[in-house]
Amino acid sequence: MSGPLTTPDDVPEWLRPLVEASAKVDTTTFTRVTAPPYGNARRAAVLMLFGTGEQGPDVLLLRRADTLGSHAGQAAFPGGGAEDGEDPVTTALREAEEETGVLPEGVRPVALFPELYVPVSRFAVTPVLAHWSRPSPVRPVDPAETAAVARVPIAELSDPANRFVVARRDGRWRGPAFTVRGLFVWGFTAGVLATLLELGGWDREWDRTDVRDLDVALAEHEARTAAERM
């Protein structure tokens, strides 16, 4: 299922700023890495699926299984590599269904954001913005691939208490992070979410001087999560 993109008039008012922004922004809005080296990136797509839940607008996120060889244990949008002949919408919907069980017929793709290159995985990723017009139950379809699935309220993502900055010890990378619904969100996904909060008009002032060592923050989160499960 690819189909035409829905016009802004057909989506909730709270989602329209993101749809309109998709036509105005470019790659530099999200990242300083503007193009893959040597043109050898593999195409991929992620589904940025926004719906209306019990606590207002929310977005669908998942946590990858700890046993995966790539991005193990990381929080992410549903998505993955494109198959031959697929457009970004088709890829994003297929991957979302395979990973979370979301029913494509209840999803309305509304906009494409600029393709973003992810150096660590060598993927050129197209973010597909979608409205969850008819929400369906979601779950980790294959526990070997997906450990958890959550509808995360935008209000929790924008809560200053859930935001901070993480940095690698070698000083070669730093970026925004979130702790929400048992998820530790950092890297590519956190960077995109931080930008979406700004474009959607949901961003709130938060302490950007709260910089934490990535490895330490991850370990503390995992220990805290394990304790809560006991």
Side-chain angles (χ1 to χ4, degrees), residues 167-169 213-220:
R168 293 192 181 278
R169 294 176 185 175
D213 179 277
L214 175 60
D215 293 334
V216 173
L218 275 170
E220 291 178 347

Side-chain angles (χ1 to χ4, degrees), residues 89-148:
V89 172
T90 301
T91 299
L93 290 175
R94 174 182 56 76
E95 287 284 340
E97 184 176 18
E98 292 176 359
E99 293 176 333
T100 71
V102 65
L103 298 180
E105 54 265 33
V107 176
R108 295 192 299 167
V110 294
L112 300 181
F113 275 80
E115 186 177 76
L116 307 174
Y117 179 59
V118 185
V120 66
S121 61
R122 297 183 180 179
F123 274 118
V125 181
T126 298
V128 178
L129 179 66
H131 174 224
W132 209 353
S133 57
R134 287 180 287 144
S136 53
V138 289
R139 70 196 189 285
V141 175
D142 182 358
E145 183 176 357
T146 306

